């Protein structure tokens, strides 16, 4: 990698709008990786501008750091990600968001059943257990009743 392609952390902060401490945090989490100069100063590849922008957007979309890390792990390490790489990641995020939307829709539908009830029963209220597939069929021990 050419020296021109490496940025000091302050420059990366300026280019992304992030604080230096935020970049260090992402580095600590392994989402970006700095090279070290002989004087032990951090240098980041220029491609980390897009990588950090992606992290911010993904966080705004509600992805966890673990999910973001998984998505970023599919990016090439030795070259700048291209449009096809980002398209692949976008598809992964879309699938993740589709899952979240489906879960929110189930919770909304369960909420409809709870409006006017208000019991908030740990045993029967589907809002406490939105991933419970059996709860979709109504309250009570649906599997035992089948
Ligand atoms: S509040 Fe009664 S079932 Fe949810």
């Amino acid at each position: 990698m050419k020296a021109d392609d490496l940025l000091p952390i302050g420059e990366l902060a300026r280019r992304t709008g992030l604080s230096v401490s935020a970049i260090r945090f992402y580095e600590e989490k392994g989402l970006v990786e700095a090279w070290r100069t002989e004087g032990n100063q951090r240098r980041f590849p220029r491609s980390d501008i897009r990588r950090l922008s992606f992290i911010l957007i993904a966080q705004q979309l509600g992805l966890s750091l673990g999910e973001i890390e998984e998505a970023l792990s599919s990016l090439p390490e030795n070259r700048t990600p291209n449009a096809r790489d980002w398209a692949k990641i976008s598809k992964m995020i879309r699938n993740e968001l589709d899952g979240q939307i489906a879960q929110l829709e189930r919770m909304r539908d369960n909420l409809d059943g709870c409006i006017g009830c208000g019991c908030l029963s740990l045993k029967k209220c589907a809002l406490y257990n939105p991933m419970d597939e059996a709860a979709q069929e109504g309250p009570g021990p649906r599997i035992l009743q089948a």
Side-chain angles (χ1 to χ4, degrees), residues 88-130:
K88 201 164 49 175
I89 281 194
S90 299
K91 193 173 176 201
M92 285 171 70
I93 290 181
R94 187 185 171 83
N95 290 341
E96 180 63 33
L97 289 176
D98 283 347
Q100 289 180 17
I101 288 168
Q103 184 179 348
L104 286 171
E105 284 177 346
R106 280 196 298 274
M107 284 179 73
R108 181 200 58 203
D109 294 345
N110 288 334
L111 179 62
D112 286 345
C114 290
I115 290 173
C117 173
C119 73
L120 294 176
S121 162
L122 285 173
K123 284 188 182 159
K124 74 169 193 173
C125 183
L127 289 178
Y128 280 116
N129 192 5

Coordinates of all heavy atoms in Angstrom, one line a residue, residues 88-130:
K88 N -23.1 -6.7 -2.2 CA -23.3 -7.9 -1.4 C -23.6 -7.6 0.1 O -24.5 -8.2 0.6 CB -21.9 -8.7 -1.5 CG -22.1 -10.2 -1.2 CD -20.9 -11.0 -1.7 CE -19.6 -10.5 -1.2 NZ -18.4 -11.3 -1.5
I89 N -22.9 -6.6 0.6 CA -23.2 -6.2 2.0 C -24.6 -5.6 2.1 O -25.3 -5.9 3.1 CB -22.1 -5.2 2.5 CG1 -20.8 -6.0 2.8 CG2 -22.6 -4.5 3.7 CD1 -19.9 -5.2 3.6
S90 N -24.9 -4.8 1.2 CA -26.3 -4.2 1.2 C -27.4 -5.2 1.2 O -28.4 -5.1 1.9 CB -26.5 -3.3 0.0 OG -25.5 -2.3 0.0
K91 N -27.1 -6.3 0.5 CA -28.1 -7.4 0.4 C -28.2 -8.1 1.8 O -29.3 -8.4 2.3 CB -27.7 -8.4 -0.6 CG -28.8 -9.4 -0.9 CD -28.5 -10.3 -2.1 CE -29.6 -11.3 -2.3 NZ -29.2 -12.5 -3.0
M92 N -27.0 -8.2 2.5 CA -27.1 -8.9 3.8 C -27.8 -8.0 4.8 O -28.6 -8.4 5.6 CB -25.6 -9.0 4.3 CG -24.8 -10.1 3.7 SD -23.1 -10.1 4.1 CE -23.2 -10.5 5.8
I93 N -27.6 -6.7 4.7 CA -28.3 -5.7 5.6 C -29.8 -5.7 5.3 O -30.6 -5.7 6.2 CB -27.7 -4.3 5.4 CG1 -26.3 -4.3 6.0 CG2 -28.6 -3.3 6.1 CD1 -25.7 -2.9 6.0
R94 N -30.1 -5.8 4.0 CA -31.5 -5.8 3.6 C -32.2 -7.0 4.2 O -33.3 -6.9 4.8 CB -31.7 -5.8 2.1 CG -33.1 -5.7 1.7 CD -33.3 -5.8 0.2 NE -34.7 -5.8 -0.1 CZ -35.5 -4.8 -0.2 NH1 -35.0 -3.6 0.0 NH2 -36.8 -4.9 -0.4
N95 N -31.6 -8.2 4.2 CA -32.1 -9.4 4.7 C -32.3 -9.2 6.2 O -33.3 -9.6 6.8 CB -31.2 -10.6 4.4 CG -31.3 -11.0 3.0 OD1 -32.2 -10.6 2.3 ND2 -30.3 -11.7 2.5
E96 N -31.3 -8.6 6.9 CA -31.4 -8.4 8.3 C -32.6 -7.5 8.7 O -33.3 -7.7 9.6 CB -30.1 -7.8 8.8 CG -30.0 -7.5 10.3 CD -30.1 -8.7 11.2 OE1 -29.6 -9.8 10.7 OE2 -30.7 -8.6 12.2
L97 N -32.7 -6.4 7.9 CA -33.8 -5.4 8.1 C -35.1 -6.1 7.9 O -36.1 -5.9 8.6 CB -33.6 -4.2 7.2 CG -32.5 -3.3 7.6 CD1 -32.4 -2.1 6.6 CD2 -32.7 -2.7 9.0
D98 N -35.2 -6.9 6.8 CA -36.5 -7.6 6.5 C -36.9 -8.5 7.7 O -38.1 -8.5 8.1 CB -36.3 -8.5 5.3 CG -36.4 -7.7 4.0 OD1 -36.7 -6.5 4.1 OD2 -36.0 -8.3 3.0
G99 N -35.9 -9.1 8.4 CA -36.2 -9.9 9.6 C -36.7 -9.1 10.7 O -37.6 -9.4 11.4
Q100 N -36.0 -7.9 10.9 CA -36.4 -7.0 12.0 C -37.9 -6.5 11.7 O -38.7 -6.3 12.6 CB -35.4 -5.9 12.1 CG -34.1 -6.3 12.7 CD -33.2 -5.1 12.8 OE1 -33.5 -4.0 12.8 NE2 -31.9 -5.4 13.0
I101 N -38.1 -6.1 10.4 CA -39.4 -5.6 10.1 C -40.5 -6.7 10.4 O -41.6 -6.4 10.9 CB -39.5 -5.2 8.6 CG1 -38.6 -3.9 8.4 CG2 -40.9 -4.9 8.1 CD1 -38.4 -3.5 7.0
A102 N -40.2 -7.9 10.0 CA -41.2 -9.0 10.2 C -41.4 -9.2 11.7 O -42.6 -9.4 12.1 CB -40.7 -10.3 9.6
Q103 N -40.4 -9.1 12.5 CA -40.5 -9.2 13.9 C -41.4 -8.1 14.5 O -42.3 -8.3 15.3 CB -39.2 -9.2 14.6 CG -39.3 -9.5 16.1 CD -37.9 -9.5 16.8 OE1 -36.9 -9.6 16.1 NE2 -37.9 -9.5 18.1
L104 N -41.1 -6.8 14.0 CA -41.9 -5.7 14.5 C -43.4 -5.8 14.0 O -44.3 -5.5 14.8 CB -41.3 -4.4 13.9 CG -40.0 -3.9 14.6 CD1 -39.4 -2.8 13.8 CD2 -40.2 -3.6 16.0
E105 N -43.6 -6.4 12.8 CA -45.0 -6.5 12.4 C -45.7 -7.5 13.3 O -46.9 -7.3 13.6 CB -45.0 -7.0 10.9 CG -44.7 -5.8 10.0 CD -44.7 -6.3 8.5 OE1 -44.6 -7.5 8.2 OE2 -44.7 -5.4 7.7
R106 N -45.0 -8.6 13.7 CA -45.6 -9.6 14.6 C -45.9 -9.0 15.9 O -47.0 -9.2 16.5 CB -44.7 -10.8 14.8 CG -44.7 -11.8 13.6 CD -44.0 -13.1 14.1 NE -42.6 -13.0 14.4 CZ -41.6 -13.0 13.6 NH1 -41.9 -13.2 12.3 NH2 -40.4 -12.9 14.0
M107 N -45.0 -8.1 16.4 CA -45.2 -7.5 17.7 C -46.4 -6.5 17.6 O -47.3 -6.5 18.5 CB -44.0 -6.7 18.1 CG -42.9 -7.6 18.7 SD -41.4 -6.6 19.1 CE -42.0 -5.8 20.6
R108 N -46.5 -5.8 16.4 CA -47.6 -4.9 16.2 C -48.9 -5.6 16.2 O -49.9 -5.3 16.8 CB -47.5 -4.1 14.9 CG -48.6 -3.1 14.6 CD -48.6 -2.8 13.2 NE -48.8 -4.0 12.4 CZ -48.5 -4.1 11.1 NH1 -47.9 -3.1 10.5 NH2 -48.7 -5.2 10.4
D109 N -48.9 -6.8 15.5 CA -50.2 -7.6 15.4 C -50.5 -8.1 16.8 O -51.7 -8.2 17.2 CB -50.0 -8.7 14.4 CG -49.8 -8.2 13.0 OD1 -50.1 -7.0 12.8 OD2 -49.4 -8.9 12.1
N110 N -49.5 -8.6 17.6 CA -49.8 -9.0 18.9 C -50.3 -7.9 19.8 O -51.2 -8.1 20.6 CB -48.5 -9.6 19.6 CG -48.1 -10.9 19.0 OD1 -48.9 -11.6 18.5 ND2 -46.8 -11.2 19.0
L111 N -49.8 -6.7 19.6 CA -50.3 -5.5 20.3 C -51.7 -5.3 20.1 O -52.5 -5.0 21.0 CB -49.5 -4.3 20.0 CG -49.9 -3.0 20.7 CD1 -49.7 -3.1 22.2 CD2 -49.0 -1.8 20.1
D112 N -52.1 -5.5 18.8 CA -53.6 -5.3 18.5 C -54.4 -6.3 19.3 O -55.5 -5.9 19.8 CB -53.8 -5.7 17.0 CG -53.3 -4.6 16.1 OD1 -53.0 -3.5 16.5 OD2 -53.2 -4.9 14.8
G113 N -53.9 -7.5 19.6 CA -54.7 -8.4 20.4 C -54.7 -8.0 21.9 O -55.6 -8.4 22.6
C114 N -53.7 -7.2 22.2 CA -53.6 -6.8 23.7 C -54.3 -5.5 24.0 O -54.6 -5.3 25.1 CB -52.1 -6.6 24.0 SG -51.2 -8.1 24.1
I115 N -54.6 -4.8 22.9 CA -55.4 -3.5 23.2 C -56.7 -3.8 23.8 O -57.5 -4.7 23.3 CB -55.5 -2.7 21.9 CG1 -54.1 -2.2 21.5 CG2 -56.5 -1.5 22.0 CD1 -54.1 -1.5 20.1
G116 N -57.0 -3.2 24.9 CA -58.2 -3.5 25.6 C -58.1 -4.6 26.6 O -59.0 -4.8 27.4
C117 N -57.0 -5.4 26.5 CA -56.8 -6.4 27.5 C -56.0 -5.9 28.7 O -56.6 -5.8 29.8 CB -56.0 -7.6 26.8 SG -55.6 -8.9 28.0
G118 N -54.8 -5.5 28.5 CA -54.0 -4.9 29.5 C -53.5 -5.8 30.6 O -53.0 -5.4 31.6
C119 N -53.7 -7.1 30.5 CA -53.3 -8.0 31.5 C -51.8 -8.1 31.7 O -51.3 -8.3 32.8 CB -53.9 -9.4 31.3 SG -53.1 -10.3 30.0
L120 N -51.1 -8.0 30.5 CA -49.6 -8.1 30.5 C -49.2 -9.4 31.2 O -48.2 -9.4 31.9 CB -48.9 -6.9 31.0 CG -49.1 -5.6 30.2 CD1 -48.5 -4.4 30.9 CD2 -48.6 -5.8 28.8
S121 N -49.9 -10.5 31.0 CA -49.6 -11.7 31.7 C -48.3 -12.3 31.2 O -48.2 -12.5 29.9 CB -50.8 -12.7 31.4 OG -50.4 -14.0 31.7
L122 N -47.4 -12.7 32.1 CA -46.2 -13.4 31.7 C -46.5 -14.7 30.9 O -45.7 -15.1 30.1 CB -45.3 -13.6 32.9 CG -44.6 -12.4 33.4 CD1 -43.9 -12.7 34.7 CD2 -43.6 -11.8 32.4
K123 N -47.6 -15.3 31.3 CA -47.9 -16.6 30.7 C -48.5 -16.5 29.3 O -48.2 -17.3 28.5 CB -48.8 -17.4 31.6 CG -48.1 -18.0 32.8 CD -49.0 -18.9 33.6 CE -48.2 -19.4 34.9 NZ -49.0 -19.8 35.9
K124 N -49.4 -15.6 29.1 CA -50.1 -15.6 27.9 C -49.9 -14.4 26.9 O -50.2 -14.5 25.8 CB -51.6 -15.8 28.1 CG -52.3 -14.5 28.7 CD -53.8 -14.7 28.6 CE -54.5 -13.4 28.8 NZ -55.9 -13.4 28.7
C125 N -49.3 -13.3 27.4 CA -49.2 -12.2 26.6 C -48.0 -12.3 25.6 O -46.9 -12.5 26.0 CB -48.9 -10.9 27.4 SG -48.8 -9.4 26.4
A126 N -48.3 -12.3 24.3 CA -47.4 -12.5 23.3 C -46.3 -11.4 23.2 O -45.3 -11.6 22.6 CB -48.1 -12.7 21.9
L127 N -46.7 -10.2 23.8 CA -45.7 -9.1 23.7 C -44.4 -9.4 24.5 O -43.4 -8.9 24.3 CB -46.3 -7.9 24.3 CG -47.4 -7.2 23.4 CD1 -48.0 -6.0 24.1 CD2 -46.9 -6.9 22.0
Y128 N -44.5 -10.4 25.5 CA -43.4 -10.7 26.2 C -42.5 -11.7 25.5 O -41.4 -11.9 25.8 CB -43.8 -11.4 27.6 CG -44.2 -10.4 28.6 CD1 -45.4 -10.3 29.1 CD2 -43.2 -9.5 29.1 CE1 -45.8 -9.4 30.1 CE2 -43.6 -8.6 30.0 CZ -44.9 -8.5 30.5 OH -45.2 -7.6 31.5
N129 N -43.1 -12.3 24.5 CA -42.3 -13.4 23.8 C -42.6 -13.3 22.3 O -43.3 -14.2 21.7 CB -42.7 -14.7 24.4 CG -41.8 -15.8 23.9 OD1 -40.8 -15.6 23.2 ND2 -42.1 -17.1 24.2
P130 N -42.2 -12.2 21.6 CA -42.6 -12.0 20.2 C -42.1 -13.0 19.3 O -42.7 -13.2 18.2 CB -42.1 -10.6 19.9 CG -40.9 -10.4 20.9 CD -41.4 -11.1 22.1

